[in-house]
Amino acid sequence: MLRNRYSSYGEWLKRRFGGPVYKVSVDGGFTCPNRDGTVARGGCTYCSNDSFRALGVGAGKPVRQQIEEGIRFLSSRFDPRMFIVYWQHYTNTHGELETLRSRFEESLGVDDRIVGIAIGTRADCVEQPKLEMIRELAREKFVCLEYGLESARDETLERINRGHDFARYVEAVERTHALDLPVCAHVILGFPWESLSQMLEGAATLNRLGIDFVKVHHLHVLGNTALGQEYLRRPFKTFSLEEWVALVCDFIELLAPAIVIQRLFGWAPEHDLLAPRWGVHKSVVLQHIKNELVRRDSWQGKELGAARPEE
Ligand code: SF4
């Protein structure tokens, strides 16, 4: 029986660092250029960044305190030996170069067990001097840039008020890769105006871009968003759990095996969520996906002709 039918981030981290690595989220108090008027106002129509705040993570607290509390929390439940600090909230390169440098350096220095940082940001907010500063940090520790792609279709990017087009995304990925920095792409499948085949084309796009990591999310509709208001006025179709499992397995089959998968579905707190409401724990969703790959006897990249992974 195959143990790993897709390249999972957890396994990748173990290989890279010699053991499990835990994520500690921080909120650096950044805003987003798509909300504060730099690019646009209102933000992406699906976005409710506060919904994704991990327990205890607060914009008001100093970064050091957030990290120390995150490490203490994880240590009370597990036996963690290594951490990656995840700069998760809003756009974490939306600031002055020296401010960014000192915040990232500070976060890397809070605890000897911190092996790296992941920086969530936008493709239109990584000017060259910022990337070069980040490359300096990457000489010592692991650093990954996370850029939301969401969709490779300009029509969709416009409809969701993304504030940049696909060409801008490609340009940022190429400049990031030119400095040997890895990129994690976020994609959303399920915009009601996209067909299933258009959603699946996203896998080929990621393959062509040579993306290093991916987070795949199903579209979920949150109450306090523009998309949520649209949904309340005129409900549209979202995926059932069964439909999502089938689609994401199709996506995995089309994804190059070299791309490491960090997420296979979205997550939102129940109290904010309008649809879809699957009513099951995250681990159950993941198990359904794994079971479906077993049922199909399938694996990442199978549709591209990728060899069956070793047992
Ligand atoms: S770029 Fe990110 S933080 Fe900004 S509005 Fe869009 S989803 Fe929200």
Side-chain angles (χ1 to χ4, degrees), residues 230-249:
E230 223 174 289
Y231 182 86
L232 289 173
R233 277 194 304 276
R234 194 180 311 164
F236 48 80
K237 172 153 178 50
T238 56
F239 289 121
S240 68
L241 177 56
E242 295 69 28
E243 288 167 334
W244 178 252
V245 168
L247 180 70
V248 82
C249 288

Side-chain angles (χ1 to χ4, degrees), residues 17-79:
F17 295 104
V21 182
Y22 291 77
K23 179 183 76 179
V24 179
S25 290
V26 290
D27 186 331
F30 292 100
T31 62
C32 171
N34 205 23
R35 285 172 169 269
D36 69 8
T38 311
V39 171
R41 291 209 182 269
C44 306
T45 58
Y46 56 84
C47 171
S48 167
N49 222 279
D50 283 343
S51 291
F52 305 101
R53 197 177 298 280
L55 205 65
V57 175
K61 294 183 189 171
V63 164
R64 169 175 288 276
Q65 185 185 341
Q66 291 181 51
I67 297 171
E68 286 172 346
E69 286 177 0
I71 289 177
R72 262 203 305 280
F73 175 72
L74 288 166
S75 303
S76 69
R77 307 183 66 188
F78 311 104
D79 181 23

